[in-house]
Amino acid sequence: VIVMNVLEQCGVHFTEVSSELTVQKWTVKENMTQINGILHGGLSAAIAEQGAGMGAVQLIPEGYVAVGTSLESHHLRAVPMGSQCETRAMPETVGGKLQVWRVEQCILPTEELFNVSTVTIYIKKMTYDDK
């Protein structure tokens, strides 16, 4: 069974994944925009959380899960349809149960910043309900 999440269906893909940096790239398509043709802010927030979450998973032991608990997202400028974009997520602090990640999103090739987010991740023991 192949399962694709909504971001994969939008063409968002990882080009780098480590405990120190995750990088995602995509092109803004019509199905990713608000009715006025610019990138939907909720989608850029979801991409930020996915980047932080994937990095967080690299830092936890088997039998634990990383769960997003807080997302603060600042939209700095509009991103028009057709723009090529990149998301970079980096850990700010990593503790026993909490991780805080800084996520920056930019338009390529100019690297003009359009979103900055902070994502807090809670690390918990996996239960039957988490599977």
Side-chain angles (χ1 to χ4, degrees):
V1 175
I2 296 175
V3 177
M4 289 184 72
N5 70 33
V6 69
L7 298 180
E8 290 171 325
Q9 291 175 6
C10 289
V12 179
H13 63 279
F14 283 95
T15 60
E16 186 172 341
V17 175
S18 76
S19 60
E20 297 178 5
L21 175 69
T22 66
V23 179
Q24 298 171 87
K25 293 189 179 180
W26 77 96
T27 300
V28 179
K29 300 175 196 155
E30 186 174 5
N31 65 342
M32 301 170 80
T33 64
Q34 301 175 355
I35 57 173
N36 57 4
I38 61 171
L39 178 65
H40 192 289
L43 195 55
S44 61
I47 294 167
E49 185 170 352
Q50 177 173 268
M54 183 63 81
V57 167
Q58 309 308 307
L59 293 163
I60 62 175
E62 190 173 326
Y64 286 78
V65 293
V67 181
T69 60
S70 176
L71 169 66
E72 184 176 331
S73 190
H74 302 276
H75 306 289
L76 308 175
R77 62 184 37 83
V79 182
M81 191 166 27
S83 298
Q84 294 183 355
C85 301
E86 182 175 83
T87 298
R88 298 179 197 125
M90 301 137 291
E92 287 285 332
T93 186
V94 175
K97 294 197 183 229
L98 288 178
Q99 296 180 19
V100 177
W101 287 70
R102 177 181 172 82
V103 184
E104 298 176 351
Q105 298 182 337
C106 64
I107 300 170
L108 298 174
T110 62
E111 298 199 11
E112 183 177 24
L113 203 59
F114 69 84
N115 182 283
V116 175
S117 296
T118 302
V119 182
T120 303
I121 307 279
Y122 176 66
I123 308 305
K124 67 179 220 136
K125 189 140 181 83
M126 185 183 299
T127 64
Y128 179 76
D129 294 336
D130 296 321
K131 293 180 183 179

